[in-house]
Amino acid sequence: DAKTTQPNSMESNEEEPVHLPCNHSTISGTDYIHWYRQLPSQGPEYVIHGLTSNVNNRMASLAIAEDRKSSTLILHRATLRDAAVYYCIPLRGSSGSARQLTFGSGTQLTVLP
Amino acid sequence: GAVVSQHPSWVICKSGTSVKIECRSLDFQATTMFWYRQFPKQSLMLMATSNEGSKATYEQGVEKDKFLINHASLTLSTLTVTSAHPEDSSFYICSARAASGRAQNIQYFGAGTRLSVL
């Protein structure tokens, strides 16, 4: 599995954008980059995933470097409810694959009012 | 998004008893379900992977006779912690992956079960 490096913690002010970085220099060509987040005392929640192109959904945007060795999760306007641990996880994307999500230590995001 | 229901959300039991945790995918069929365990201030650790109708695959160090997993249908998996001891106290989280469709590679998670063994 590809190794990932994320900052242990980050802080953001409410209603400001947040850029959460992730390095995955050993990612393989078929690995999608998945982002999940875990709010306190809850199970993880899917945020977004992508392969090469930048991706947007209602929760966030994902910017993927051209060499795919890093990516950045962008929360456009942080709210207090976005305070969570954010996990960046490379995952093989072939259909029918039995590969599972392997969680690292993630980034603890604190949102300040 | 897809919904995974996990029950109970918390349970307290005496040492030596068994506890069953249920995980249901409510609006999709799940070919594969996963069980994770999370200790305080640590990340999630995968315990086992189960495919509907077949035996679960356990991660190294996880006792299959202690953590019994049954995945009898495409919408239900259960984890039974047999003869629970205080060291089994943890946050158990199930996850399900859709059998088909564009969300096939997304794992949906239950809310977790906090187990306390006295």
Side-chain angles (χ1 to χ4, degrees):
Chain A
D1 291 340
K3 300 292 184 185
T4 60
T5 303
Q6 296 179 255
N8 289 333
S9 62
M10 290 185 65
E11 277 188 359
S12 171
N13 292 319
E14 197 176 9
E15 298 189 5
E16 290 187 357
V18 183
H19 289 64
L20 297 162
C22 180
N23 287 324
H24 31 76
S25 57
T26 60
I27 195 170
S28 78
T30 57
D31 285 352
Y32 282 74
I33 300 152
H34 287 243
W35 283 81
Y36 284 74
R37 71 180 185 180
Q38 186 178 23
L39 279 65
S41 300
Q42 294 188 29
E45 173 188 28
Y46 167 78
V47 178
I48 200 168
H49 75 289
L51 184 62
T52 55
S53 303
N54 294 345
V55 185
N56 298 295
N57 66 21
R58 63 175 179 81
M59 288 183 70
S61 295
L62 177 60
I64 301 172
E66 199 170 327
D67 62 6
R68 291 189 6 102
K69 292 185 177 182
S70 66
S71 61
T72 302
L73 179 70
I74 302 165
L75 306 180
H76 295 286
R77 209 161 154 260
T79 70
L80 296 178
R81 289 178 294 179
D82 291 322
V85 179
Y86 287 78
Y87 297 97
C88 159
I89 307 171
L91 184 70
R92 194 150 301 162
S94 57
S95 62
S97 169
R99 297 295 294 277
Q100 67 287 334
L101 293 170
T102 301
F103 289 81
S105 54
T107 296
Q108 173 69 63
L109 174 65
T110 300
V111 180
L112 304 174
Chain B
V3 178
V4 173
S5 173
Q6 187 172 341
H7 179 81
S9 56
W10 61 272
V11 59
I12 301 173
C13 69
K14 292 182 178 180
S15 185
T17 60
S18 295
V19 174
K20 179 185 281 189
I21 302 170
E22 287 191 353
C23 180
R24 295 180 184 272
S25 56
L26 296 184
D27 54 358
F28 67 99
Q29 292 186 324
T31 308
T32 307
M33 287 187 168
F34 308 89
W35 288 94
Y36 292 81
R37 180 168 54 181
Q38 185 174 33
F39 292 107
K41 299 191 184 301
Q42 295 186 23
S43 189
L44 285 79
M45 296 296 295
L46 180 67
M47 298 175 66
T49 301
S50 71
N51 291 296
E52 183 263 341
S54 61
K55 290 183 179 179
T57 301
Y58 290 81
E59 295 299 302
Q60 191 172 8
V62 178
E63 300 175 56
K64 62 179 181 180
D65 294 330
K66 180 170 185 61
F67 299 100
L68 302 179
I69 291 172
N70 184 286
H71 190 167
S73 77
L74 284 173
T75 60
L76 174 64
S77 176
T78 61
L79 168 68
T80 301
V81 183
T82 63
S83 186
H85 288 94
E87 57 266 29
D88 298 322
S89 298
S90 188
F91 192 49
Y92 292 86
I93 308 168
C94 75
S95 176
R97 187 166 63 201
S100 61
R102 60 187 174 90
Q104 193 173 0
N105 286 312
I106 296 174
Q107 283 182 221
Y108 298 95
F109 288 82
T113 297
R114 190 159 304 280
L115 171 63
S116 296
V117 184
L118 304 178

